[in-house]
Amino acid sequence: MDYDLWWLLAVPLVFGAGWLVARADGRAARTRADALPAAYLRGLNFLLDEQHEQAIDEFVDIVRLEPENVALHFALGKLFRDRGETDRAIRVHQNLIGRSDLDPEQRVKALHELGQDYLKAGLIDRADETFQRLGGSTYSERALRQRLQIAQTVRDWQLAIELAGQLQQEQGADRASEIAHCHCELAQAALEQAASQPGEREQHLAQARAAIDAARSADAAHPRSWLLRGQLGELESDPAAALAAWQTMVQVGPAYLALVAREFVAAHEKLDRVAEALAQLETIAAQHPSVDLFGAILDARAKRDGASAALEWGSGALLAAPSILGYDRLNELRLATELSESERNECEFTRTLLRAQVRRLSRYQCGHCGFKARRFYWQCPGCNRWDSYAPLRSEELERG
Ligand SMILES: [Zn+2]
């Protein structure tokens, strides 16, 4: 049974009280009240057996007999929603709100339930409107959190920043990194637009810069704003600025260098400082093993020293720290070199053999809900948590 429905166990108390009153009122009322607990218990039993449809039938019957029983209307509405019957849930809660005998606390509860019905039904605008009406009530904080969730789902980052700020101010909850992420989402969109719309490039770069600055003001210790500041530097053809930002990112979160390892090498190449990049990548890779760092080092070495020297380095590194993903990168580089036909066949065969494993081990994984994805996410698409992905592939996560 749904955890939230356990409060239904308290409903017999309501019946109990009604039943006692009914006994005092006489025989006719007693007949009706006697029937109620039995029907209620049948409904509860169905619920415990996960037979939701039969439970609903029982509760609908009781509600017909006891229309004034508000607790049951709430239980029924929630059951409908949990079953995906959002139209019926909405009707139940709208009827409740329309009742004149409802006390103010029950009314805000019904509004909150209605907001959740709309949300489940995908009626986002109506859900947001309903939650807005709960401002200043005992459901204010919950409604604000739900509005924040909606704003993030529809990617209205400006509104999300406002709502997270309001929550932080009103509830004293620390939302700094969430606010920084929202600014970063705006920055990332502006950077993408700057790259894809050359005509409005300057305007988008300025927007990105402002959003990155705001993210840093919200939470300077988070690696994401520094990572984006580096990418802004790259787009502005300023590799020194890009590297300065990424160096700060390495201070606050060295493992995140894996996400920009190739750009990190490229910026060093532009400044003729490849040796420095390699030394730093190898130091970080020793502490935070990552196939992305390994691949960036391998390619940079191949470019500087030639493929065979790079392959020799790569084989040695893999012997010290075996990795299927690393071995696949090595084979990829090997295939780009001069090989005899039999060597080439063997190399291609090995890659084919490992393809499914490589695909599985390359995925990123949410540390909270386990959602796996081919690309890295700052906010999990499965559970909506921020920072629940480590910048590591499954193979590295499994190795611990
Ligand atoms: Zn998740």
Side-chain angles (χ1 to χ4, degrees), residues 255-267:
Y256 287 87
L257 188 57
L259 298 177
V260 284
R262 282 174 196 282
E263 291 100 310
F264 184 75
V265 173

Side-chain angles (χ1 to χ4, degrees), residues 186-208 231-232 234-237 263:
L186 288 170
Q188 198 166 316
L191 287 178
E192 282 163 18
Q193 284 168 325
S196 65
Q197 299 169 8
E200 292 162 28
R201 186 183 149 85
E202 291 311 314
Q203 180 196 332
H204 291 311
L205 288 179
Q207 284 168 350
Q231 289 176 330
L232 173 68
E234 279 286 275
L235 275 172
E236 289 179 327
S237 305
E263 291 100 310

Side-chain angles (χ1 to χ4, degrees), residues 365-372 379-385 388-389:
Q365 187 173 352
C366 171
H368 180 70
C369 73
F371 191 95
K372 289 182 177 173
Q379 185 181 31
C380 174
C383 66
N384 292 324
R385 293 215 171 203
S388 59
Y389 279 80

